[in-house]
Amino acid sequence: MGKKSKKPAVAESPTLEPQTTATSTSTTSKKKTTTTSPALQSSASTSSALVICRNKHWRYISSFHGPWLQLPLEVLETLANANYYMPLPRPVDPAVFYDLVKIRQLVDGATDLAVRAANGVASSALPNPLAGGTARHMQALGLGFEFGNNAGAKLSPERRFRMREQATQKLSRAYHLDEIASSVATMQSTSTLENVAGLVLQRASNDPDANYVHFFHEKIPSRQLAECTDFRALDLIIGQRPSDCEPLRTRAIVRMFKEDFEGAAQDLTAALGVYRLQQPRHKPAVDETLQLEQKTRRRRDNPPLDERDQPSSTEVQLLFQRAGCYLTLACDHVPLALPESPIDQNGISQNGTNGSSNGVANGSSVPQEAEGGSEDKGLGKRQLEMRKTVRVYAKRALRDYMEYFKHFHYSPNLPIEVSDDFSRQVNQATHRNKRYYNQSRYANQDPGSPTGSSSGHTVYALASLFSATPPADLPPYPSTDLVSPGSATMESLQTTTEVVTYHPLLTDALHSLLLCHTLIQTSAKELQRHAHMVARLARLADGYPVFQASRSPARADWIEVLRRAENWIELSSSWETLCAPAPLPTPMSANGLSAATASVNALSITGGTTPAETEEQRKERMRQQAIIEALEDERVNDEASFKAAILARQRRAEADHVSSSNGGVPSPNAGPKRWAVDDGREYPILTERAEAVARWIREAPTGSGAGTSKRKKKSRAPKKAAKTDRSEVTEVARG
């Protein structure tokens, strides 16, 4: 994103709880008097700009890429069931996994209907033996394959409209489930889907499903979503379907693009209220998992889970998005809460205005022509209020992230046979092995075991790992033998391994939690403990077999904060080293799989290899990778920033290569590694968020934000205030 055009007012401070209605539209949409779409207006004025669908601008799209887009649908459904019936912690969040299956079903069905309506023929879908894979895509492209007695029959206009209407309803349901994953799925499908909702709107202009789908598929100039989008379509849908929380979620995301983060937080709060009101039978994740653990699984009996019993990911999506809004609001208030930077002070003094010698009274852009004692006090008060505002928003973000983490689990001692068994099931499903298809060697379990396994293991909710008193039975971390290439012999003797449930947004949420603690001014010792816990979990995150690696903006910001704050929490190693992917355990058994076998299975899905390369090939590969990453970076908005992004990425890749060659960080390609992990390539361009957090560390006074210093030990009042502040932080950390 470019430079922020909207900043909070100086005297602005949040209320204790956001409003839950959030039904009013933005000022921009109120002022519009014409009915012409802003996308059409902008595209007419910028005809030379690249025009793409609106949903291609959505953030975190790269987090949802992976083999789930190409796997046959029946294989994907089999893997989702196998994942659900695994003991806790499951390899992948089952709510997201089942959403992927349903989205694939809906998008594939909509594609079939849209293509048939476009071709004007009544040919039915391909029979089951040919459904999926290359044949399905060939039919979607209109390359024939007509079956049935009425294959050549022409469709009437009414029949074609009904088919497009059904296709739009399927797409609308997919976007309701998860608009990010659905956007990725529609990008991989035929272009016929982009116009199907618009054709329905020509006849039914108030159709809520068609309006919702058309909102995502409408063509707008690239990187101009904020300027080319208003809220009229979403407001209409929200008015027609007040019991749906998903349009509120979509409107909140658009508000984020328009820099209206307070309005976005209100929309997301309202969406959470609607969701919880419409889900009276929704149980906490703990109750659901306990119910699952009490079930006795029998060999050869992993029945497909009924759709009404499948977990929902809507609440997780809303919590993550709202936490991001609060964190952004906290960072936006940092410049108003601190004195002006020395550069700004020098500029003011050069213009004939006296600079402040104590650096406290310059925290506002108010003209300094006539400074006086009363004005200094007024600026000081406003800065103190802004510091409190920063902490309040950071605490709200931390609260939502902790609620988000309650949906996922971690085990410090999962038997290796369990994870090995899941790799075997993936291999059997992808290769259509009928003998072991949809069977689990580990399914014959002890019914009396609390986790459903023959040898019990401990399971924790992720939120408990960041509490004031974390579990005491965790393996020590950081530990050099976890990342050392020479530790293969040690790993081969292990019988258990650490495992965390994977979610596409987990890595970003983990690093955002560290940014929240930094703004709250958690003590350096406690923040170091949280950082080590985040590194422990980030190195274990593995989206096998459906998600591939993605870059995390929050992780990049955290790395920049550590650099600019000179590692103020005294980490023993660089963040890239601490988060280096954990090597896979390599036990061998008569019928078991080794880590090398799992790697081969992963390559059989991705089709990748790692051949030796020359120096010239290495440099060319790094250059191409830098170009690809720069194109994906939403902060690149012109040619200058594009060139700077490429150069910065090439320099960092070269530095990592030199460090690895000199015995620094071990090469990620040395030995078996986890399947879906990023090799440390992040966004190297400094963001406003990273700059704000780093400046907060350097310049913000410690304490409650009221200017009281913790170093005053003679009086009892400051001690009491400091104690109250620490207890407040602990209470937030507990969620």
Side-chain angles (χ1 to χ4, degrees), residues 53 67 152 163 170 182 199 205 227 266 281 311 397 484 499 562 567 701 731:
C53 291
M163 293 172 66
K170 289 179 179 292
S182 298
L199 294 174
S205 59
E227 298 84 352
Q266 292 175 6
R281 295 180 299 172
S484 173
V499 175
L562 287 174
N567 190 18
E731 186 68 21

Side-chain angles (χ1 to χ4, degrees), residues 191-209:
S191 60
T192 308
L193 290 182
E194 297 178 357
N195 305 320
V196 63
L199 294 174
V200 174
L201 288 176
Q202 292 178 3
R203 182 170 170 180
S205 59
N206 292 328
D207 186 284
D209 290 322

Side-chain angles (χ1 to χ4, degrees), residues 137-216:
H137 292 295
M138 292 180 68
Q139 187 203 31
L141 296 175
L143 299 181
F145 295 97
E146 299 177 353
F147 296 89
N149 297 329
N150 297 325
K154 297 295 182 181
L155 298 178
S156 64
E158 179 67 22
R159 176 81 180 276
R160 297 171 69 176
F161 171 77
R162 294 303 177 192
M163 293 172 66
R164 291 191 175 107
E165 190 177 41
Q166 293 177 19
T168 302
Q169 292 171 358
K170 289 179 179 292
L171 290 175
S172 176
R173 189 182 171 203
Y175 280 114
H176 276 68
L177 290 172
D178 192 318
E179 55 197 77
I180 304 178
S182 298
S183 297
V184 176
T186 54
M187 291 177 197
Q188 304 292 325
S189 187
T190 175
S191 60
T192 308
L193 290 182
E194 297 178 357
N195 305 320
V196 63
L199 294 174
V200 174
L201 288 176
Q202 292 178 3
R203 182 170 170 180
S205 59
N206 292 328
D207 186 284
D209 290 322
N211 273 302
Y212 195 54
V213 175
H214 183 66
F215 178 82
F216 290 101

Side-chain angles (χ1 to χ4, degrees), residues 94 144 161 210 232 278 311 315 354 379 711:
F161 171 77
R232 286 177 295 178
Q278 298 295 326
E315 186 175 12
N354 294 330
L379 288 175
R711 297 182 181 275

Side-chain angles (χ1 to χ4, degrees), residues 187-511:
M187 291 177 197
Q188 304 292 325
S189 187
T190 175
S191 60
T192 308
L193 290 182
E194 297 178 357
N195 305 320
V196 63
L199 294 174
V200 174
L201 288 176
Q202 292 178 3
R203 182 170 170 180
S205 59
N206 292 328
D207 186 284
D209 290 322
N211 273 302
Y212 195 54
V213 175
H214 183 66
F215 178 82
F216 290 101
H217 292 179
E218 186 179 12
K219 299 292 184 66
I220 62 174
S222 177
R223 300 184 186 275
Q224 297 184 28
L225 187 145
E227 298 84 352
C228 303
T229 305
D230 61 20
F231 300 104
R232 286 177 295 178
L234 294 176
D235 292 340
L236 176 64
I237 299 169
I238 293 171
Q240 291 174 323
R241 295 179 174 177
S243 61
D244 288 357
C245 62
E246 292 82 6
L248 286 168
R249 176 194 64 197
T250 304
R251 190 171 70 178
I253 293 176
V254 176
R255 290 189 190 275
M256 295 181 204
F257 280 102
K258 291 178 174 288
E259 307 292 342
D260 181 16
F261 293 98
E262 287 188 345
Q266 292 175 6
D267 275 344
L268 291 167
T269 301
L272 277 168
V274 171
Y275 172 78
R276 290 165 178 168
L277 183 64
Q278 298 295 326
Q279 300 289 328
R281 295 180 299 172
H282 180 71
K283 298 181 180 180
V286 177
D287 293 346
E288 178 187 347
T289 53
L290 289 177
Q291 181 182 4
L292 176 67
E293 290 168 358
Q294 294 172 356
K295 293 182 179 179
T296 302
R297 284 167 38 201
R298 297 171 296 176
R299 188 177 179 86
R300 299 175 179 269
D301 187 14
N302 287 348
L305 192 64
D306 191 83
E307 184 173 344
R308 61 185 178 184
D309 297 327
Q310 294 174 4
S312 171
S313 66
T314 302
E315 186 175 12
V316 170
Q317 299 173 38
L318 298 175
L319 289 170
F320 178 84
Q321 296 288 355
R322 191 175 69 171
C325 287
Y326 287 145
L327 180 57
T328 302
L329 284 169
C331 295
D332 283 349
H333 283 79
V334 167
L336 302 175
L338 299 176
E340 290 183 354
S341 62
I343 298 177
D344 296 335
Q345 293 178 5
N346 293 337
I348 293 174
S349 61
Q350 291 174 3
N351 291 332
T353 305
N354 294 330
S356 175
S357 59
N358 56 13
V360 175
N362 292 333
S364 174
S365 59
V366 177
Q368 304 289 327
E369 295 179 358
E371 289 187 349
S374 60
E375 186 176 358
D376 291 342
K377 290 181 181 179
L379 288 175
K381 275 188 175 181
R382 283 192 288 269
Q383 287 182 1
L384 294 180
E385 289 297 325
M386 289 301 102
R387 291 170 194 168
K388 293 178 182 178
T389 299
V390 170
R391 293 170 58 83
V392 168
Y393 276 131
K395 288 177 182 179
R396 290 182 182 178
L398 181 61
R399 176 195 61 191
D400 282 348
Y401 282 125
M402 294 294 285
E403 289 295 323
Y404 168 89
F405 291 138
K406 288 180 180 178
H407 292 78
F408 313 112
H409 301 88
Y410 160 85
S411 175
N413 55 356
L414 182 74
I416 293 178
E417 290 81 1
V418 178
S419 58
D420 194 49
D421 180 63
F422 183 69
S423 298
R424 177 181 294 101
Q425 292 187 67
V426 172
N427 186 39
Q428 293 164 358
T430 53
H431 291 87
R432 312 292 183 91
N433 190 323
K434 298 299 183 181
R435 179 179 179 182
Y436 299 101
Y437 193 66
N438 199 24
Q439 297 178 14
S440 172
R441 179 180 59 86
Y442 205 66
N444 190 10
Q445 300 174 344
D446 180 12
S449 175
T451 57
S453 60
S454 57
S455 56
H457 59 277
T458 310
V459 177
Y460 298 106
L462 287 191
S464 65
L465 303 181
F466 298 98
S467 62
T469 55
D473 61 341
L474 303 184
Y477 191 81
S479 179
T480 55
D481 63 334
L482 292 179
V483 295
S484 173
S487 63
T489 56
M490 301 262 320
E491 295 285 344
S492 63
L493 302 177
Q494 289 185 347
T495 58
T496 61
T497 183
E498 294 180 273
V499 175
V500 64
T501 302
Y502 183 84
H503 186 272
L505 305 174
L506 177 62
T507 302
D508 203 79
L510 288 171
H511 290 84

